[in-house]
Amino acid sequence: MDREPASSTRTLQAKDLEGEPTSARRRRPAATGRTTGTPGKPVGAIVAAASVLRALHASERPLNASEVARAAGLHRGTAYNILRTLQAEGFVGYDEATRSYSMSLRILEFAYGVLQRSGLMDLARPLMHALSDAHGVSVYLSKVLGRSSLLLLDWVGTAFRNDLYVMVGRQYPGPAGASGVIMAAFGNSTEPELKALLAQVRWYRKPSFPEFVARVKDAKQSGFAVDRGTMFQGITQVSVPVLSPSWEPLLILTAAGHSYDLGDDALGPLSRAMQSAAGRLSESVRLLRLA
């Protein structure tokens, strides 16, 4: 069990943050997708707890209290108290042997509840299964997170060997593959921002930036994007946007299959069917809760 000074093991209160140096607050990571505007006076303890959860979520391995504190921009004692509180509530797991913390699988209960109550999967799943069955492809539905990433919400079909870790809740960086082209085509990123983002992601055979921009322009005109094996070797992807009433990309629908099964004669019917499915989702999106 972690040993802390008596002064740092007290119950977490808002006053734990009042003495925090301004520099530490500035180091705290910005929230991805945080609501803009004036929600009222932020509650310091909740802001700090959210920073801790983001730090654990972003890490590929469990972290000890000191590592969490550095990643979240908090004093170690504050981070420790938050971690222990989250552990007691079941949101964080603790490994006694390594004295490290990680996100608990209980978070999945919340994710399931959000998806169920949104009504999205009731609408999307039948459409995804219909696409998969009719065209022999795997179909993925992702939520757009800001300008730089996608969150996989659901998929049907067969996973490919080059992406064995396809699972609900996985976050994918953009711009990558056909879905990345759609994000760029229907998002509001500038060319310098896109160039910087493209440099950070891996492709099997990454296009040059001018080639990527050309794909973006084609997708904006046609309403869909095709990647023929440059993201994953031997895999062809087709992506279409699901747009909000204000024409902002909320979701991206992607179909994937072996390139030898998706020639030009197959891509036309597939892209039209996907645009039809995306259109039906777009029409219903104002009735859904997709925050």
Side-chain angles (χ1 to χ4, degrees):
M1 180 173 176
D2 281 5
R3 292 186 178 179
E4 295 291 324
S7 60
S8 66
T9 56
R10 65 189 181 279
T11 302
L12 178 67
Q13 298 176 355
K15 66 179 181 181
D16 288 335
L17 293 175
E18 292 176 359
E20 184 179 349
T22 303
S23 59
R25 297 184 188 181
R26 290 197 186 110
R27 289 196 303 271
R28 192 176 303 135
T32 302
R34 181 179 292 172
T35 303
T36 57
T38 54
K41 183 179 179 180
V43 179
I46 295 177
V47 172
S51 296
V52 166
L53 288 173
R54 290 191 192 95
L56 291 174
H57 175 66
S59 177
E60 296 182 356
R61 61 174 178 81
L63 302 176
N64 61 37
S66 295
E67 292 171 322
V68 171
R70 285 194 295 270
L74 300 169
H75 286 308
R76 187 179 185 278
T78 300
Y80 176 83
N81 286 333
I82 292 172
L83 287 165
R84 282 308 197 190
T85 302
L86 292 173
Q87 179 193 356
E89 294 296 325
F91 300 127
V92 167
Y94 177 68
D95 185 340
E96 186 76 36
T98 61
R99 295 184 179 182
S100 60
Y101 300 84
S102 59
M103 297 285 282
S104 167
L105 289 177
R106 187 174 180 184
I107 297 293
L108 293 176
E109 296 178 25
F110 290 83
Y112 173 77
V114 170
L115 285 176
Q116 185 181 44
R117 286 188 290 272
S118 73
L120 175 61
M121 303 323 302
D122 292 337
L123 294 170
R125 272 218 148 212
L127 297 172
M128 294 167 68
H129 277 292
L131 286 169
S132 180
D133 294 343
H135 299 274
V137 293
S138 294
V139 182
Y140 307 83
L141 181 66
S142 302
K143 188 180 188 305
V144 176
L145 299 180
R147 301 180 181 184
S148 60
S149 62
L150 294 172
L151 179 69
L152 183 61
L153 298 180
D154 198 13
W155 66 281
V156 300
T158 304
F160 300 101
R161 287 185 178 181
N162 47 23
D163 196 5
L164 297 177
Y165 301 101
V166 173
M167 60 184 67
V168 172
R170 183 175 176 185
Q171 192 168 327
Y172 292 83
S179 59
V181 171
I182 289 296
M183 285 181 68
F186 293 90
N188 55 6
S189 295
T190 65
E191 285 201 6
E193 289 171 337
L194 288 176
K195 189 173 184 179
L197 290 170
L198 184 64
Q200 297 172 13
V201 296
R202 292 184 178 182
W203 297 48
Y204 166 66
R205 193 169 63 247
K206 186 186 293 187
S208 67
F209 185 65
E211 291 172 337
F212 181 79
V213 170
R215 293 190 189 188
V216 169
K217 291 179 179 178
D218 288 343
K220 197 165 188 176
Q221 183 174 7
S222 66
F224 65 93
V226 177
D227 181 82
R228 300 175 186 267
T230 62
M231 183 65 202
F232 299 114
Q233 184 180 14
I235 302 298
T236 292
Q237 300 175 320
V238 180
S239 292
V240 296
V242 176
L243 302 173
S244 71
S246 57
W247 291 88
E248 295 177 346
L250 289 179
L251 306 164
I252 293 181
L253 199 60
T254 298
H258 292 289
S259 296
Y260 52 73
D261 290 328
L262 292 176
D264 291 339
D265 56 336
L267 287 178
L270 174 59
S271 62
R272 288 191 293 272
M274 291 186 65
Q275 286 179 301
S276 175
R280 292 177 64 182
L281 286 174
S282 293
E283 291 172 1
S284 303
V285 81
R286 67 180 66 238
L287 304 177
L288 304 177
R289 290 179 287 178
L290 299 179

